[in-house]
Amino acid sequence: MGMAVSLFLIAVGAILTWAVTATTNGLDVNTVGVILMIVGLVGLMLSLVFWSSWGGVGGFSRVTHREVYVDGTAPAPVDYGRRRRTTYVEEQPGPPAGPPL
């Protein structure tokens, strides 16, 4: 459920709770309005949580980019200072490859 649907449910629930004065047998319109508002609020909160975890806007983003300049020099590359693991494979001569005997 997106933010737009959540806001729509909140608006419909508020209208049913405070603007509608009709009465029916076996159905309380005010209770239906409150339920719709609660579902809309839960959906809105979940949308905001997932939106911020996927990137979102501004301060909600988990990815930050920061460049530090020291004495007017350019920033170091991102992987500067990390040790890289290098694997060397040495092949030794042996019998030619083929089906096992």
Side-chain angles (χ1 to χ4, degrees), residues 11-100:
V12 170
I15 290 171
L16 289 176
T17 301
W18 292 300
V20 175
T21 57
T23 58
T24 59
N25 291 331
L27 180 69
D28 188 5
V29 178
N30 292 334
T31 304
V32 173
V34 170
I35 291 171
L36 286 177
M37 284 193 294
I38 291 171
V39 170
L41 282 173
V42 169
L44 183 65
M45 292 299 135
L46 288 175
S47 295
L48 289 176
V49 166
F50 286 123
W51 187 44
S52 67
S53 69
W54 287 333
V57 192
F60 294 115
S61 178
R62 282 196 267 164
V63 178
T64 57
H65 180 72
R66 183 174 71 179
E67 294 180 356
V68 177
Y69 292 91
V70 179
D71 297 330
T73 60
V78 174
D79 61 348
Y80 180 76
R82 293 186 193 162
R83 300 182 101 189
R84 293 185 182 196
R85 183 182 307 190
T86 305
T87 304
Y88 296 99
V89 178
E90 295 181 11
E91 295 184 13
Q92 296 180 1

